[in-house]
C-alpha cells in the first residue's frame, strides 16, 4: 500500500510517475491485473520512498535544531 497520492503532497517527479501509473491503469483495465503497469508502480514506489527518507532526515535535523535552541534558553534576559 502506498500513501495518499494527492499532487500537493509530492514532488513534480513523483507526480509525473503517479500520472503515468494512473494512465496505464485506465488504458489497461484488465491487463493491469497481469503486471502490465508494474514498472510504473515500482518507479512510483521508489520515488515515494526517496521522498519519505528525505522528509524524515529534514524533520530530524529540524528537531535537533529546536532541541538545541531550547537547551540554550532565551537569548535575551528581561
Amino acid at each position: 500500500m502506498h500513501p495518499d497520492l494527492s499532487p500537493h503532497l509530492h514532488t513534480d517527479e513523483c507526480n509525473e510517475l503517479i500520472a503515468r501509473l494512473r494512465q496505464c491503469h485506465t488504458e489497461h483495465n484488465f491487463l493491469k491485473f497481469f503486471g502490465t503497469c508494474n514498472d510504473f508502480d515500482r518507479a512510483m514506489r521508489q520515488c515515494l520512498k526517496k521522498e519519505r527518507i528525505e522528509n524524515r532526515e529534514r524533520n530530524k535535523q529540524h528537531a535537533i535544531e529546536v532541541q538545541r535552541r531550547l537547551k540554550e534558553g532565551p537569548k535575551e534576559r528581561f
Side-chain angles (χ1 to χ4, degrees):
M1 196 73 189
H2 42 69
D4 186 9
L5 299 179
S6 298
H8 68 280
L9 298 175
H10 303 289
T11 61
D12 291 336
E13 177 188 358
C14 289
N15 282 331
E16 183 179 330
L17 293 170
I18 292 167
R20 286 185 189 169
L21 178 64
R22 287 183 174 159
Q23 181 181 3
C24 182
H25 281 182
T26 57
E27 290 175 0
H28 305 288
N29 272 346
F30 186 69
L31 292 177
K32 68 182 178 184
F33 297 114
F34 295 101
T36 301
C37 302
N38 282 355
D39 292 336
F40 295 119
D41 188 51
R42 283 188 199 103
M44 181 199 65
R45 284 187 285 129
Q46 185 177 12
C47 185
L48 294 177
K49 181 178 180 180
K50 185 177 93 175
E51 271 186 353
R52 186 179 69 247
I53 290 170
E54 289 171 356
N55 286 339
R56 185 172 58 195
E57 185 61 33
R58 186 172 43 244
N59 289 340
K60 181 179 176 183
Q61 293 303 321
H62 178 69
I64 289 170
E65 176 65 23
V66 168
Q67 287 176 354
R68 184 187 61 77
R69 284 188 290 166
L70 288 173
K71 197 172 189 178
E72 289 176 358
K75 291 183 180 181
E76 297 179 6
R77 300 277 176 172
F78 294 104

